Amino acid sequence: MPDTSSLPYRPCAGVVLARADGLVFAGERINMPGAWQMPQGGIDKGETPREAALRELEEETGVRPDLTKLERATAGWVRYDFPAKLVAKVAKGRFRGQEQMWYLLRFNGTDADINIATEHAEFSRWQWMAPDDLIAAIVPFKRRVYQDVFAQFQESL
């Protein structure tokens, strides 16, 4: 396996989209059946992490920003490394992993406002999940990140 320790982390933003009952949006990845995750993605040049989070949410779920209320952000960046065998595939060899800023957004819409059949669909299906169930369903190399994010947001969920 190649040494990836000198590679940078890719800056990203993620969204915990939560209903009033504390369940959160989870999508099953199209390219990884059985792997569930929350909306997330890279931060474009000139974009703030919050702007990226709102853009990614709309691109992946169809949920417009006006259907959400920002409640919290993580205290800082949360990092994870890609498994070495995935660096070339997932990051084209440019990044060792991701550093993410996460936002807790309260969903004020209805299920009818969610549309994962977007132009560049990432999810094959979606559901509302309890945080512990989502932690169990995420790919193992992202599990610590989800545990950390949910621990930071625990009082607000």
Side-chain angles (χ1 to χ4, degrees):
M1 295 289 164
D3 178 20
T4 62
S5 62
S6 63
L7 294 174
Y9 287 94
R10 178 180 180 230
C12 295
V15 173
V16 178
L17 183 67
R19 295 192 315 195
D21 62 5
L23 295 179
V24 299
F25 174 93
E28 183 181 35
R29 293 186 55 94
I30 283 178
N31 62 346
M32 294 180 75
W36 293 79
Q37 72 175 48
M38 295 180 286
Q40 67 173 61
I43 299 171
D44 292 340
K45 187 175 176 109
E47 193 174 43
T48 68
R50 181 179 175 190
E51 290 167 343
L54 293 172
R55 176 184 50 74
E56 288 290 337
L57 178 65
E58 189 164 10
E59 286 177 2
E60 295 181 9
T61 69
V63 173
R64 299 183 321 268
D66 65 308
L67 295 174
T68 67
K69 179 183 178 219
L70 175 63
E71 293 201 353
R72 296 193 53 194
T74 50
W77 296 94
V78 182
R79 288 182 170 176
Y80 70 87
D81 290 346
F82 297 125
K85 65 183 179 185
L86 291 182
V87 169
K89 180 181 179 187
V90 174
K92 298 183 175 103
R94 297 180 311 175
F95 302 103
R96 68 189 286 181
Q98 296 189 355
E99 58 182 4
Q100 302 172 320
M101 184 66 65
W102 283 88
Y103 296 88
L104 172 61
L105 300 177
R106 190 66 58 187
F107 182 53
N108 298 315
T110 67
D111 286 1
D113 294 312
I114 296 174
N115 174 20
I116 61 169
T118 60
E119 183 178 349
H120 301 288
E122 295 204 19
F123 302 127
S124 56
R125 58 189 174 128
W126 71 273
Q127 64 181 336
W128 296 106
M129 295 177 88
D132 287 344
D133 294 335
L134 183 50
I135 288 168
I138 188 69
V139 293
F141 65 90
K142 292 183 183 179
R143 190 160 290 138
R144 184 191 53 75
V145 168
Y146 275 42
Q147 290 168 330
D148 185 13
V149 169
F150 284 129
Q152 289 191 49
F153 294 161
Q154 184 175 8
E155 292 177 12
S156 300
L157 286 172

